[in-house]
Amino acid sequence: MLTPESCDLFRQPFFQFAQLKQHCPERIPQIKADYRAAWLVWQALIREVSAGLGMPFAEPHIERWCNGWQVRAHFFAYFKYAQHRDSAAIFSVLLNRRRLSVSLDWHSHKAAASMLTLAQYRRWTSALPVFCRRPEHAGFEVWRGSDSEYADHPDLAQYLAAASAEPDGADFLRIGRHLERAALQQTKSAPWIIESIRALQPLYEACYTAEDG
């Protein structure tokens, strides 16, 4: 289970090992130990979510706590349907120093090999009017892929009222919700993540719906 202290792991003075070796080499063993321990909790959480979701989801991708030259500024995992493994539309799960987030996302690093195009991914925005009718979706927010992961975002009502134009070029929209650091103490993370992903499934599926004509 995640706690507010799970976010505090990412309040590091430096993330690159070269900087850590230069400025605080004595801290490196403890930082590594803390990251390993926290990542095992994260891994167990994502596997619990995976078991709860079941089919049609594929096994999740769980990013490691370190990439060889730096520790992460966040923990990240994603889910896809098994039949869409080769597409860049994903359900992202991200934990950073501020909060836990779940969103329908475009995995831009995999876009070049994606069977789904960015234009097809954008189809989910056409399904928003139906999505918005459900009162439990009021807490969802919309933001650009280029926005900071720590930023505040407009909720659905604010986004729709603003009638903002869809991003151009390689930028894209995400839709999701957040559990702020303090709320992690009172909320069971796995059910919350599962509930969030299930709420977003109709929008994910809309990406793969062929347009009329």
Side-chain angles (χ1 to χ4, degrees):
M1 178 175 171
L2 300 180
T3 67
E5 289 70 33
S6 302
C7 294
D8 296 342
L9 173 73
F10 306 108
R11 297 186 181 280
Q12 301 292 343
F14 306 101
F15 294 95
Q16 295 182 18
F17 286 119
Q19 293 174 311
L20 289 167
K21 289 176 181 177
Q22 179 181 356
H23 298 285
C24 50
E26 72 286 350
R27 292 193 56 196
I28 293 176
Q30 188 61 56
I31 289 173
K32 285 184 175 180
D34 291 345
Y35 262 83
R36 288 190 191 101
W39 185 83
L40 289 174
V41 173
W42 175 251
Q43 180 187 54
L45 170 65
I46 298 302
R47 287 177 174 172
E48 181 181 352
V49 170
S50 180
L53 289 171
M55 294 298 293
F57 289 87
E59 287 294 308
H61 172 87
I62 308 173
E63 187 177 71
R64 298 288 297 179
W65 61 271
C66 163
N67 68 1
W69 60 278
Q70 67 177 3
V71 292
R72 306 289 186 183
H74 57 230
F75 286 159
F76 171 68
Y78 64 78
F79 291 86
K80 302 178 182 181
Y81 283 6
Q83 70 190 89
H84 300 315
R85 291 176 205 258
D86 296 329
S87 294
I90 57 175
F91 299 95
S92 288
V93 187
L94 187 144
L95 178 73
N96 62 26
R97 66 176 183 263
R98 175 177 176 178
R99 59 197 175 189
L100 174 67
S101 300
V102 174
S103 64
L104 175 59
D105 199 356
W106 177 251
H107 197 191
S108 53
H109 295 302
K110 301 291 185 180
S114 177
M115 298 297 292
L116 187 79
T117 67
L118 180 55
Q120 290 168 329
Y121 166 79
R122 289 173 171 151
R123 289 173 182 165
W124 69 258
T125 59
S126 299
L128 274 182
V130 175
F131 186 83
C132 293
R133 290 177 195 161
R134 300 183 65 90
E136 63 269 28
H137 294 163
F140 282 77
E141 301 175 358
V142 180
W143 66 99
R144 290 172 178 256
S146 56
D147 289 345
S148 167
E149 66 186 70
Y150 310 105
D152 294 319
H153 311 300
D155 63 23
L156 277 175
Q158 293 168 329
Y159 171 75
L160 292 172
S164 301
E166 183 120 358
D168 294 326
D171 204 0
F172 54 90
L173 293 177
R174 296 181 172 115
I175 181 170
R177 63 177 181 169
H178 312 284
L179 199 60
E180 298 296 329
R181 176 188 177 279
L184 290 171
Q185 191 68 56
Q186 294 84 34
T187 308
K188 293 183 178 179
S189 304
W192 184 86
I193 295 170
I194 292 169
E195 179 185 89
S196 302
I197 290 175
R198 292 214 180 280
L200 291 167
Q201 278 183 261
L203 299 183
Y204 176 81
E205 291 170 1
C207 299
Y208 297 92
T209 301
E211 295 176 336
D212 293 338

